[in-house]
Amino acid sequence: MRAYAHPFYWREASLCVPALPLLMTAGILLGQVGPAAVAVGSAFAVGFGASRDLGGRRWAAMRTALIGMTLATLIGSTFGAHLVVIAALAFLAAAVAAALVLIDEDLWWVCLQVVIALLVSAAYAGPPSQAFGRAGLVLAGGALQILIIAVLARVFPQASARLPRSTGVLPSPPRLVLSHGARAGLSVALALVAATALKLGNSYWAPMTAMLVLRPGLRQTRLRGVARLGGTLGGAIAAMAYVALFGEAPWLLAIGVTLSAGAAFALQKAHYSLLTFAITATVVLLTTLGHGGVVANSEHRLWATILGGAIALGAAAILPHRPRRPVCDLSLTPAEHPGQADHRTGDAARE
């Protein structure tokens, strides 16, 4: 188990956690838990960018992701009621993100947050006032996270370095990059349509899973799917156990969210199943804080993971890639990560 949890970046995680309880406390005191949860989800997603940079600019990954998430939220909330439109947009965004996984891990992470924000916000489409309000919450939560991290990084510089990069990516043929992007776009669009047709609760979790599980090779996809399913099941059970022991009082749920989110930040370079465990527990508890129903939320997460993973595995089997050289798996962080929050919960995507 110790090997699975290694490395554990507790110092770096300590920079990313404070914004979450601060936002939840404000929401509880003001009686605005739902809106606060949206901001918390944004802060949770943006916080994973503290481990990255763009072009040597230390906080550029977080800033760029936040801008993209805000715009994607505005677009998704505006056009989410039109399935054909949102499926087409999801296809394009997912295709770009999948192509970037073979090129640059930091750009991939930024694009992944945009995809997740689009998918989540599309599930809660509404009039322009609602779309702008939701986008404003995403912007506010992410901006507060960046501000707090930047301030704490000056106070504790030993905790502010970016985390080690993945081992790197060997150059991939353009044909592989394009075909993997197209396959991922199709998988995400199909998962979105299927989850909508099946009327799954929190249906956006299915295309998110397809996006995160699909890898260039069938074996990679299979291993990643199993790891995600195991982590999701374990995290959902842990969240239900927490609520069974301590109840659904907002303050106690906020403590649970803080602890599980801190674990997710610290484990983002550890084994993928353990990272998924921590992210799932965070998302389910945050959903419960915003709306209640921990068992239903856990079931939604599990069924969506099964559907999205099955579609990704099917795509990898039917349309296999056989790269001439190994491709490094860059996608070690969430997205549920985890990106965005729904109107009730702050569902992080960034998975």
Side-chain angles (χ1 to χ4, degrees):
M1 183 64 181
R2 181 177 297 179
Y4 276 73
H6 181 79
F8 190 81
Y9 290 103
W10 64 270
R11 290 186 180 88
E12 292 76 3
S14 67
L15 300 184
C16 307
V17 169
L20 277 60
L22 183 61
L23 288 167
M24 286 185 286
T25 299
I28 293 171
L29 292 177
L30 296 174
Q32 298 292 325
V33 176
V38 178
V40 171
S42 176
F44 183 48
V46 169
F48 285 99
S51 66
R52 303 176 178 277
D53 57 43
L54 282 181
R57 297 181 180 180
R58 185 63 189 91
W59 311 122
M62 290 193 296
R63 293 195 299 265
T64 305
L66 179 58
I67 293 171
M69 288 161 55
T70 303
L71 294 175
T73 298
L74 185 60
I75 294 171
S77 297
T78 301
F79 297 102
H82 306 284
L83 182 57
V84 174
V85 175
I86 208 67
L89 292 173
F91 168 85
L92 293 174
V96 172
L100 287 174
V101 81
L102 300 173
I103 299 173
D104 184 281
E105 65 174 292
D106 294 324
L107 285 175
W108 163 80
W109 179 83
V110 169
C111 191
L112 180 64
Q113 309 319 303
V114 175
V115 175
I116 294 175
L118 179 70
L119 293 170
V120 174
S121 60
Y124 305 100
S129 59
Q130 180 176 318
F132 278 98
R134 182 183 180 83
L137 290 169
V138 169
L139 180 62
L144 179 64
Q145 176 70 291
I146 294 172
L147 175 62
I148 291 177
I149 288 175
V151 171
L152 291 178
R154 287 182 175 273
V155 179
F156 306 104
Q158 69 275 18
S160 64
R162 73 156 286 153
L163 298 187
R165 296 180 182 273
S166 300
T167 54
V169 181
L170 294 172
S172 299
R175 181 179 178 182
L176 174 60
V177 174
L178 293 174
S179 61
H180 180 58
R183 188 177 64 165
L186 286 171
S187 297
V188 168
L190 178 58
L192 175 61
V193 172
T196 303
L198 292 172
K199 298 181 179 180
L200 291 182
N202 301 314
S203 58
Y204 48 83
W205 282 334
M208 285 166 52
T209 297
M211 177 78 223
L212 290 162
V213 167
L214 185 64
R215 301 268 66 88
L218 176 59
R219 182 175 181 275
Q220 291 174 302
T221 301
R222 185 186 300 115
L223 292 175
R224 192 168 176 83
V226 170
R228 186 170 181 85
L229 179 59
T232 297
L233 179 60
I237 292 174
M240 289 188 289
Y242 182 90
V243 172
L245 288 172
F246 301 107
E248 295 189 14
W251 289 108
L252 292 173
L253 287 173
I255 292 172
V257 170
T258 301
L259 293 175
S260 58
F265 287 130
L267 292 167
Q268 58 183 297
K269 292 292 184 178
H271 194 278
Y272 185 64
S273 61
L274 198 56
L275 172 62
T276 302
F277 176 99
I279 292 173
T280 297
T282 303
V283 169
V284 172
L285 289 174
L286 194 53
T287 303
T288 305
L289 174 64
H291 188 65
V294 65
V295 174
N297 294 326
S298 298
E299 289 178 352
H300 296 165
R301 181 83 170 183
L302 183 59
W303 284 116
T305 297
I306 292 173
L307 176 61
I311 289 175
L313 186 60
I318 296 172
L319 302 170
H321 293 319
R322 295 182 177 86
R324 296 179 180 178
R325 53 180 67 87
V327 179
C328 176
D329 186 359
L330 299 177
S331 47
L332 297 176
T333 59
E336 323 291 344
H337 56 290
Q340 287 302 305
D342 67 28
H343 71 297
R344 310 163 303 175
T345 70
D347 176 16
R350 318 316 68 190
E351 313 251 346

